[in-house]
């Protein structure tokens, strides 16, 4: 099995690319979703970040996100708990799908978390920064200033481009992205034989 990391900065279209890969028959796990689930299942998180626990017992992700992105100390504390748990989920996913030709892990913080060694190949979904900023403001209703904070909290796309085996550009519509993913799969499967 070829273990692919699908990475990309915030609002680059990773979720759409993951759905396209699933439609092509590949197994995909989304570490953003895994992380959201872990927020509500890891007792350490609820203990340490108790002020963000809502009345129904779930973590208020929006408020926690604001706090974490404005405090490097809080961000580090959260990452020290959640990243090892995400790594275990990735390893379980690979074990469950070991008979597949290839499997994909959507992992936005591939380089920031130093998890590159879990994968055989890395793929960057690259989207123009202007498009990403517009998406974040429209989709998440972020202010321009908060959007910049979120975008600047990750390693730049240009730096990641140099570190990845493949780049898929996503500056058009969904059908353009589907064609780009198809083209990538053809190249990747040939290159990986």
């Amino acid at each position: 099995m070829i273990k692919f990391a699908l990475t990309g900065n915030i609002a680059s279209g990773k979720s759409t690319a993951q759905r396209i890969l699933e439609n092509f028959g590949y197994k995909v796990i989304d570490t953003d979703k895994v992380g959201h689930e872990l927020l509500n299942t890891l007792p350490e998180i609820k203990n340490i970040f108790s002020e963000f626990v809502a009345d129904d017992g779930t973590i208020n992700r929006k408020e926690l996100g604001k706090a974490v992105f404005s405090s490097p100390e809080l961000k580090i504390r959260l990452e020290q708990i959640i990243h090892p748990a995400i790594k275990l989920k990735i390893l379980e996913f690979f074990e469950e799908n070991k008979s597949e030709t290839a499997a994909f892990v959507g992992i936005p913080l591939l380089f920031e978390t130093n998890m590159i060694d879990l994968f055989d190949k890395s793929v960057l979904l690259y989207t123009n920064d202007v498009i990403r900023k517009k998406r974040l403001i429209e989709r998440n209703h972020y202010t321009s200033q908060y959007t910049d904070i979120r975008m600047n909290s990750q390693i730049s796309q240009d730096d990641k481009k140099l570190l990845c085996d493949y780049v898929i550009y996503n500056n058009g519509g969904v059908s353009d992205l589907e064609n780009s993913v198809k083209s990538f799969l053809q190249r990747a499967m040939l290159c990986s034989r």
Side-chain angles (χ1 to χ4, degrees):
M1 177 180 62
I2 305 163
K3 301 169 184 174
F4 284 98
L6 177 65
T7 193
N9 285 13
I10 191 168
S12 61
K14 288 178 305 299
S15 298
T16 306
Q18 289 169 181
R19 278 195 303 276
I20 291 167
L21 287 164
E22 287 174 334
N23 290 341
F24 284 139
Y26 292 96
K27 300 291 185 186
V28 179
I29 188 173
D30 181 342
T31 59
D32 273 348
K33 286 182 182 172
V34 169
H36 297 163
E37 290 165 11
L38 290 170
L39 279 178
N40 291 306
T41 56
L42 292 174
E44 310 98 291
I45 290 178
K46 288 186 180 180
N47 291 338
I48 293 171
F49 300 97
S50 58
E51 68 268 32
F52 302 105
V53 177
D55 293 337
D56 66 358
T58 61
I59 294 281
N60 182 331
R61 284 192 5 235
K62 190 175 181 181
E63 292 305 312
L64 177 62
K66 284 180 186 173
V68 163
F69 282 99
S70 60
S71 166
E73 297 82 20
L74 274 183
K75 187 171 185 278
I76 289 167
R77 284 181 78 190
L78 179 62
E79 289 172 347
Q80 287 172 337
I81 299 167
I82 210 156
H83 289 167
I86 288 172
K87 184 176 182 176
L88 284 176
K89 294 288 185 184
I90 292 169
L91 294 173
E92 287 171 13
F93 169 75
F94 285 146
E95 183 59 30
E96 289 164 10
N97 295 288
K98 62 185 174 189
S99 62
E100 298 290 325
T101 305
F104 291 84
V105 176
I107 181 164
L109 300 177
L110 174 65
F111 298 105
E112 292 86 345
T113 58
N114 295 313
M115 288 196 209
I116 188 69
D117 61 337
L118 299 180
F119 304 95
D120 300 315
K121 298 286 181 181
S122 56
V123 185
L124 174 67
L125 200 63
Y126 189 106
T127 304
N128 179 291
D129 287 343
V130 174
I131 294 171
R132 290 174 49 234
K133 184 167 184 173
K134 184 177 180 220
R135 283 181 188 167
L136 275 174
I137 290 170
E138 289 174 1
R139 180 185 79 189
N140 297 39
H141 309 291
Y142 291 163
T143 63
S144 180
Q145 183 182 5
Y146 186 62
T147 299
D148 290 338
I149 290 170
R150 292 297 299 261
M151 287 177 67
N152 293 330
S153 72
Q154 295 177 306
I155 297 170
S156 83
Q157 296 186 102
D158 291 319
D159 289 342
K160 287 181 180 180
K161 200 160 93 167
L162 302 173
L163 300 170
C164 286
D165 299 298
Y166 301 96
V167 179
I168 298 173
Y169 291 93
N170 182 28
N171 295 313
V174 175
S175 61
D176 296 321
L177 179 57
E178 189 169 318
N179 289 332
S180 296
V181 169
K182 195 181 296 183
S183 172
F184 148 72
L185 287 170
Q186 290 167 346
R187 288 191 327 260
M189 294 303 118
L190 288 172
C191 292
S192 301
R193 281 187 186 162

